[in-house]
Amino acid sequence: MIPHSPQRSLRLLIQPLAAAAFLALAMGSAQAQKGETVKIAWIDPLSGLMAPVGQNQVKSFQFFAEKFNATNPAGVKFEIIAIDNKLSPAESLNALKSAIDQGVRYVTQGNGSGAALAIIDAVNKHNERNPGKEVLYLNHSAVDPDLTNSKCSYWHFRFDADTSMKMEAITTFLKDQPEVKKVYLLNQNYAHGQQVAKYAKEMLAKKRPDVQVVGEDLHPLAQVRDFAPYVAKIKAAGADTVITGNWGSDLALLIKAANEAGYNGKFFTYYAGVSGTPTAMGASGAGRVFQVAYNHNNMGGQMDQWANEYKAKFGDDFYTGSIIHIYSALGTAMAKAKSTDPVKVAAALEGLRFKTFNGDVEIRKTDHQLQQPLFISVWQKVDAKHPYNVENTGFNFAPVKTYDAYVSSTPTSCQMKRPG
């Protein structure tokens, strides 16, 4: 047997050590972010007329943080820091500054596109001035199309479907509803409500040129307490259908006034499933109130289990499904980036495809708008096939039409400025 040279002996000793070190390094980097706490600042209303919506969503974010803390592939822990913005863009900026001062690198907001525009602008400026301390804005519900078009930002990702996508689904559905002949547009007087009216007129003209828009109103956001005068105008105009993007108290009080006035036309809504509105609809809304959304009360499988568990825990209904999209996307992107650094996570989120409760979805790289299926559902009595009981009314939203992501997708004019 030929003895090893000292150099060869050294090589034989070093090689396994190097391999072990490399393996440890690779394993470490594969889960570099494991065990880290990812703080997300939630900036939305917890006071005023829209407080019930905000309170529901805080509970929802915290409920699903617990779920995804146990299962996300990055092994991180999500923590929610809730800050009341009073539905105000100015207060949203104060909240954002407070969050950044606390070292938070991820923010979420969704109730009000005015606040969303303010946050996008502030995040852009902060990130430009503070390299190494970048912040990502995860938009759960602000749906003004401008947010991913003329105002699009590399640091903003939207997990709801925008106003134009939802109107694409509504008008595609109305194309095959010959009984709809006279439409009234009633909306909140801010970016989202204005866009609902704009897209309704444009898309109806293309798909149902025979339909008349017999009236149009914009009213102050979260200030009207009696919608009887608006309902009187709807009835006087002879409208058989109302299209509204209203949400929160502005929809609940509208439906209540319509019921009290004996208006029996149809409502096509964006947010009839949100706190308070189901109770206002009651039995009189059955078969007349439709909703366009990326989820409904009868999704089946895991979603139904979560909804039932949420109701048992809080005595409330879960409806902001984009929260699940956010946690799914963040966990997947952080595992892919092997980091919780917002710069690396943003790069991993671009073009990300993942499976979620409403099917296969994709974060479009061009504008960071989630492409996803949409559903038209109708308010109806609980039955064996659709058992979920919304706000203990004995009714729920049952699906009547599903539109795949490619149907509801709308083009973007985004010219995104990317870092570097």
Side-chain angles (χ1 to χ4, degrees):
M1 184 176 176
I2 303 169
H4 295 312
S5 69
Q7 290 88 351
R8 190 172 174 216
S9 297
L10 190 61
R11 264 202 321 274
L12 290 171
L13 179 66
I14 288 172
Q15 282 171 347
L17 289 174
F22 176 78
L23 187 62
L25 186 66
M27 288 174 72
S29 66
Q31 287 251 289
Q33 71 294 329
K34 187 175 182 181
E36 281 187 48
T37 296
V38 176
K39 293 181 179 179
I40 302 173
W42 176 97
I43 300 172
D44 266 316
L46 286 171
S47 54
L49 281 174
M50 297 305 189
V53 180
Q55 288 158 359
N56 175 287
Q57 289 173 339
V58 168
K59 289 184 296 192
S60 299
F61 264 100
Q62 290 168 337
F63 176 83
F64 281 101
E66 287 182 24
K67 297 291 177 197
F68 280 87
N69 283 352
T71 61
N72 75 83
V76 298
K77 300 296 178 196
F78 297 110
E79 180 187 326
I80 297 299
I81 297 169
I83 309 174
D84 182 9
N85 73 351
K86 305 177 179 66
L87 203 63
S88 152
E91 289 285 350
S92 298
L93 296 182
N94 293 336
L96 177 65
K97 185 179 184 308
S98 169
I100 291 171
D101 288 346
Q102 293 176 59
V104 175
R105 309 282 298 278
Y106 293 89
V107 299
T108 188
Q109 178 274 341
N111 298 323
S113 293
L117 283 163
I119 290 172
I120 284 180
D121 186 51
V123 166
N124 285 343
K125 287 173 180 168
H126 168 82
N127 290 356
E128 198 170 322
R129 294 170 187 158
N130 298 277
K133 294 182 179 177
E134 290 85 356
V135 169
L136 272 195
Y137 168 31
L138 311 165
N139 174 356
H140 63 79
S141 301
V143 292
D144 178 356
D146 283 346
L147 300 174
T148 48
N149 284 284
S150 62
K151 306 289 186 185
C152 69
S153 164
Y154 181 78
W155 308 108
H156 165 254
F157 292 83
R158 175 159 46 201
F159 294 89
D160 198 339
D162 79 19
T163 303
S164 66
M165 295 166 72
K166 290 177 180 174
M167 190 56 71
E168 190 71 55
I170 285 177
T171 51
T172 301
F173 183 76
L174 288 179
K175 186 165 59 71
D176 301 320
Q177 308 300 313
E179 71 280 8
V180 173
K181 293 180 170 64
K182 294 185 176 183
V183 168
Y184 201 102
L185 305 174
L186 182 66
N187 289 285
Q188 297 150 318
N189 192 14
Y190 78 110
H192 161 62
Q194 294 158 9
Q195 297 275 26
V196 171
K198 171 181 177 282
Y199 285 107
K201 286 182 285 191
E202 286 178 8
M203 294 181 186
L204 280 172
K206 286 178 187 170
K207 300 175 190 178
R208 281 291 307 277
D210 59 307
V211 166
Q212 283 179 268
V213 175
V214 294
E216 181 180 349
D217 270 313
L218 293 168
H219 64 81
L221 173 66
Q223 291 176 39
V224 179
R225 292 181 182 272
D226 181 11
F227 278 86
Y230 292 101
V231 174
K233 289 174 75 174
I234 291 167
K235 289 180 75 176
D240 55 57
T241 300
V242 176
I243 294 178
T244 179
N246 279 20
W247 57 277
S249 64
D250 286 338
L251 185 56
L253 293 173
L254 168 62
I255 299 275
K256 179 174 178 282
N259 287 344
E260 288 171 354
Y263 176 69
N264 56 12
K266 291 180 178 176
F267 282 86
F268 280 85
T269 75
Y270 282 52
Y271 300 113
V274 172
S275 297
T277 305
T279 297
M281 291 189 296
S284 58
R288 297 194 304 112
V289 179
F290 295 80
Q291 175 175 257
V292 62
Y294 52 80
N295 60 350
H296 53 77
N297 297 130
N298 297 279
M299 299 293 293
Q302 178 71 75
M303 193 66 157
D304 282 6
Q305 291 174 34
W306 279 335
N308 290 330
E309 189 181 333
Y310 183 89
K311 193 178 186 82
K313 185 170 184 176
F314 298 113
D316 200 356
D317 300 300
F318 170 68
Y319 47 76
T320 311
S322 54
I323 292 169
I324 296 170
H325 291 336
I326 286 173
Y327 286 129
S328 297
L330 274 187
T332 304
M334 285 172 179
K336 184 179 170 186
K338 302 181 178 59
S339 173
T340 60
D341 178 350
V343 178
K344 294 176 181 174
V345 173
L349 283 170
E350 286 203 301
L352 186 71
R353 296 180 182 185
F354 57 101
K355 190 177 281 293
T356 180
F357 62 85
N358 60 347
D360 294 314
V361 301
E362 179 181 355
I363 299 174
R364 187 163 61 186
K365 186 173 182 178
T366 325
D367 60 348
H368 296 180
Q369 169 63 59
L370 189 72
Q371 305 296 299
Q372 60 185 319
L374 294 179
F375 307 94
I376 303 286
S377 56
V378 64
W379 185 244
Q380 67 167 44
K381 201 168 180 58
V382 165
D383 59 28
K385 191 178 177 186
H386 309 103
Y388 189 83
N389 187 0
V390 178
E391 291 187 0
N392 303 318
T393 56
F395 292 81
N396 65 26
F397 282 97
V400 290
K401 194 76 177 175
T402 301
Y403 294 105
D404 291 332
Y406 74 88
V407 178
S408 59
S409 180
T410 51
T412 181
S413 60
C414 174
Q415 298 292 314
M416 189 174 288
K417 182 184 171 188
R418 288 181 162 76

